[in-house]
Amino acid sequence: MNHEVHRKKGEYMGFVCSVGTSIPQYNISQEEVKELVQEVFGSNNDEVKRLLPVFEHAQIDNRQFVVDKTWFIKDHTFEEKNNTYQKNAIDHSLQAIDDCLQNAQFLSDPIPYEAIDLIIYVSSSGISTPSIDAFLINGRPFRQDVIRMPLWGLGCAGGAIGLSRAFDWIKAHPEKTALVVCCELCGITFQKGDLRTSNIVGTALFGDGISAALVIGEDSPYLNYKKNTVPKIVNSSSRIKKDSTSVMGWNVTNNGLEVIFDKSIPSLVETFWKEHMELFVQEMNILKENIHAYIAHPGGMKVLAAMEDVLQDKKEKLKHSYEVLRNHGNMSSATVLYVLREWMQAGAEQGNLGILAALGPGFCSELLLLEWSN
């Protein structure tokens, strides 16, 4: 398909040339999480009994965490939780960056750390000042004049929004490179004293995940390092629903971050997200049959099912969203990069189109049009 349909003359694009991950060491099955919840909250508690089916309905097999099972049984202060976040965020973000810049599946040669011009650090599951990107710059031989863009509070939409901001910057600097790092350690936010439905549902869904994506401008010499057909970002679109800040997010308490996860999210997919998707596809002048892949953030089975219902397209086009959810759970902002990595590993033909999508607190939606390019 002729990409000139999607771009205006003189507009530049960004190429996603590699995606790396760092998988936390503690793999916990869904059955083990369910048993932990019964141990922590009491197996005879009526509210716990009522909510236990969400663990099966989530259709998640395994999740990974930076702490072991015994950690969830003990009490932890906000300070202890955040110290655990800071240490692990630095270590795992560096590993994800290493995997991204040295990934032989995507790159003919490693990208030098000195080649990175912008680092976007995305997270919502812990706090740090200076922001974690400063520690990452100290941890590897990045240049001293590298530009930093920390993004906090975007939740599940953060990965997509991080890519959009990298795209905006690369359009203005087509000779440069950008690194988007998403780090979410959702397990550390677990509240063992919170019996609200949203906490139990969150416990059935969320895991820890860390990912990094390399976005290269079309005039950068490092674009020659890409090995395969890769997705280039053609355009992006942001939309926020007014007066919907209570749909998802955190309550910040003395015990840490308490999850807000409203049951209205699937219905918002069928109204708010549907409208955004229809407007975006119309604006981009593309037909449904020409879309090769939906790189959708899998917020949960109900959210994915609602997306499928809106799209009225082949389930195959969402296959990696289901797969990532099953194997890793919802890792907030990092998840959509895991899904993108799967699509990139599978490969696509020149000109194939994809729509990357994520929803997050605000309540907001982020969409990006991708086109695979040699």
Side-chain angles (χ1 to χ4, degrees):
M1 176 173 288
N2 188 335
H3 68 286
E4 294 298 337
V5 173
H6 314 298
R7 66 186 289 191
K8 296 174 184 175
K9 189 176 180 182
E11 281 192 352
Y12 288 96
M13 301 189 189
F15 294 75
V16 185
C17 293
S18 181
V19 176
T21 59
S22 179
I23 309 295
Q25 69 181 100
Y26 298 104
N27 187 83
I28 305 180
S29 71
Q30 188 75 325
E31 188 59 36
E32 288 176 288
V33 177
K34 183 179 173 183
E35 289 168 5
L36 268 173
V37 165
Q38 290 174 289
E39 182 178 348
V40 170
F41 294 114
S43 56
N44 294 321
N45 187 293
D46 289 340
E47 184 67 3
V48 172
K49 284 182 182 177
R50 182 180 72 81
L51 292 169
L52 281 180
V54 303
F55 288 87
E56 280 79 39
H57 296 159
Q59 294 188 35
I60 293 168
D61 293 341
N62 293 283
R63 280 173 285 163
Q64 296 79 43
F65 299 93
V66 297
V67 291
D68 65 15
K69 285 197 292 185
T70 61
W71 189 92
F72 297 99
I73 298 166
K74 300 169 186 171
D75 290 312
H76 304 278
T77 64
F78 194 177
E79 181 181 2
E80 288 172 329
K81 291 176 183 178
N82 203 64
N83 286 342
T84 303
Y85 165 84
Q86 286 187 325
K87 180 188 181 304
N88 284 280
I90 295 165
D91 292 345
H92 280 284
S93 293
L94 288 172
Q95 290 173 35
I97 290 169
D98 293 345
D99 186 39
C100 178
L101 298 184
Q102 300 166 16
N103 197 308
Q105 184 173 5
F106 298 129
L107 301 166
S108 59
D109 292 290
I111 301 282
Y113 299 95
E114 295 87 351
I116 301 304
D117 300 297
L118 168 70
I119 296 175
I120 298 174
Y121 179 79
V122 183
S123 187
S124 296
S125 44
I127 56 174
S128 175
T129 304
S131 48
I132 296 293
D133 45 278
F135 296 93
L136 304 182
I137 290 164
N138 289 334
R140 294 293 183 269
F142 292 105
R143 302 195 319 268
Q144 280 188 286
D145 64 347
V146 66
I147 294 169
R148 300 161 54 203
M149 189 189 297
L151 301 177
W152 198 89
L154 298 172
C156 294
I161 293 174
L163 284 176
S164 291
R165 298 295 75 79
F167 171 56
D168 290 341
W169 192 81
I170 287 291
K171 279 196 295 183
H173 305 281
E175 76 286 1
K176 294 186 181 292
T177 64
L179 193 61
V180 180
V181 182
C182 297
C183 176
E184 302 292 3
L185 309 183
C186 305
I188 290 171
T189 69
F190 175 67
Q191 298 284 344
K192 62 175 289 194
D194 181 7
L195 256 173
R196 293 175 306 126
T197 301
S198 59
N199 188 43
I200 304 296
V201 171
T203 304
L205 283 177
F206 288 101
D208 296 351
I210 309 92
S211 53
L214 174 67
V215 185
I216 301 180
E218 58 188 81
D219 290 345
S220 168
Y222 295 102
L223 191 57
N224 295 324
Y225 285 47
K226 66 181 175 64
K227 270 173 103 169
N228 314 306
T229 304
V230 299
K232 63 183 175 187
I233 305 170
V234 179
N235 215 330
S236 66
S237 176
S238 304
R239 197 169 181 86
I240 188 164
K241 182 175 174 60
K242 290 285 190 75
D243 303 317
S244 62
T245 53
S246 61
V247 171
M248 62 167 72
W250 298 120
N251 285 320
V252 182
T253 74
N254 289 333
N255 295 317
L257 305 172
E258 288 184 355
V259 69
I260 301 166
F261 204 63
D262 197 87
K263 63 182 180 182
S264 68
I265 296 169
S267 65
L268 284 168
V269 172
E270 293 170 352
T271 52
F272 170 73
W273 187 75
K274 180 181 180 181
E275 182 184 0
H276 189 200
M277 178 64 79
E278 287 174 349
L279 286 169
F280 186 63
V281 169
Q282 184 179 351
E283 182 187 343
M284 294 296 97
N285 192 28
I286 52 178
L287 301 172
K288 183 168 66 177
E289 52 265 32
N290 291 328
I291 298 170
H292 168 71
Y294 294 104
I295 304 109
H297 167 77
M301 279 304 299
K302 286 184 177 179
V303 172
L304 274 177
M307 285 180 163
E308 208 177 312
D309 189 51
V310 166
L311 295 171
Q312 291 292 298
D313 209 338
K314 296 174 185 173
K315 189 170 186 172
E316 179 79 0
K317 295 182 182 182
L318 280 161
K319 64 182 178 181
H320 292 305
S321 296
Y322 283 101
E323 182 184 334
V324 167
L325 182 67
R326 185 173 66 253
N327 295 328
H328 303 285
N330 181 342
M331 302 166 285
S332 192
S333 70
T335 323
V336 79
L337 296 187
Y338 276 63
V339 178
L340 178 59
R341 179 181 165 105
E342 292 295 324
W343 281 107
M344 288 174 65
Q345 287 177 332
E349 294 178 4
Q350 166 84 9
N352 279 166
L353 299 178
I355 294 180
L356 188 144
L359 296 160
F363 180 74
C364 70
S365 168
E366 193 75 14
L367 298 173
L368 293 92
L369 178 63
L370 308 180
E371 183 180 345
W372 266 256
S373 175
N374 290 331

